Amino acid sequence: MEETENIPTLYEWAGGSEAIEGWVEAFYDLTLKDSILRPYFEHMSPEHRHYVALWISEVFGGPKGYSEIHGKMKSHGRMIIAHQQYPIPEPARIRWIQLMSQAADIEKIPDDPEFRSAVIAYFEWGTRMQQVFMVNPVPDESPMPTWGWGERKPFIMPKKQD
């Protein structure tokens, strides 16, 4: 029988705030070297990386730092509205996901299939939702998305019996 208690969040599995901050830093460093994504990211403010790390942390079950800064019910809508001025073509959307995966490898973010599947599923969903909101109104109080393990729960090693 699969254990369902004490399953860590994606945030915890990734390694917490420090790991996610490093992951986002590695991602943005890669974008600045990438011919497809550099035009979208070369003018980002220094604070942007930190806000993205707060966003990912919160979506993956960590502290609600992004919502605390931008307001609980307004934070998701605010993020979508801020990005509406940047329509992203499909090759750039796909490259964004590829570089997030590559940055995870660089930063030694866990690479087990269940975790990576859940993470990539969120990035796939999130980037596609961004495209949906480019042509549809953003709900004023769009709730902050939360993401978990999906159908496949992580394999947790049984504790050794003394």
Side-chain angles (χ1 to χ4, degrees):
M1 177 163 23
E2 192 173 307
E3 183 179 334
T4 58
E5 292 182 30
N6 302 320
I7 295 175
T9 63
L10 295 176
Y11 168 83
E12 292 166 331
W13 198 271
S17 294
E18 188 175 320
I20 292 175
E21 288 274 354
W23 182 5
V24 169
E25 287 290 329
F27 166 75
Y28 278 95
D29 290 347
L30 290 171
T31 67
L32 297 178
K33 299 173 190 169
D34 187 81
S35 62
I36 295 173
L37 292 183
R38 184 178 51 252
Y40 298 97
F41 292 96
E42 63 190 349
H43 301 294
M44 295 283 175
S45 71
E47 305 84 36
H48 188 80
R49 294 176 183 215
H50 177 65
Y51 291 141
V52 170
L54 289 174
W55 174 272
I56 291 171
S57 293
E58 186 169 340
V59 167
F60 288 172
K64 307 224 181 290
Y66 190 90
S67 289
E68 287 172 6
I69 291 170
H70 299 297
K72 273 189 180 178
M73 291 306 290
K74 300 279 186 196
S75 58
H76 184 238
R78 180 194 177 285
M79 188 276 299
I80 295 295
I81 290 166
H83 286 83
Q84 281 182 323
Q85 62 185 310
Y86 305 109
I88 305 294
E90 186 64 6
R93 187 191 73 77
I94 291 169
R95 189 67 177 142
W96 191 95
I97 295 168
Q98 290 170 334
L99 291 188
M100 283 301 288
S101 183
Q102 186 178 346
D105 291 339
I106 290 167
E107 287 298 305
K108 309 272 190 277
I109 298 298
D111 65 355
D112 54 278
E114 297 84 6
F115 176 76
R116 288 297 180 95
S117 176
V119 165
I120 296 304
Y122 169 70
F123 294 146
E124 180 71 25
W125 176 85
T127 57
R128 287 184 184 278
M129 286 304 295
Q130 177 63 31
Q131 291 179 329
V132 167
F133 285 130
M134 290 301 225
V135 295
N136 293 293
V138 179
D140 283 342
E141 295 192 2
S142 177
M144 185 73 163
T146 56
W147 208 259
W149 290 97
E151 292 298 316
R152 177 67 177 112
K153 303 296 185 235
F155 175 75
I156 297 177
M157 296 292 292
K159 294 181 181 172
K160 290 184 179 182
Q161 302 273 332
D162 288 328

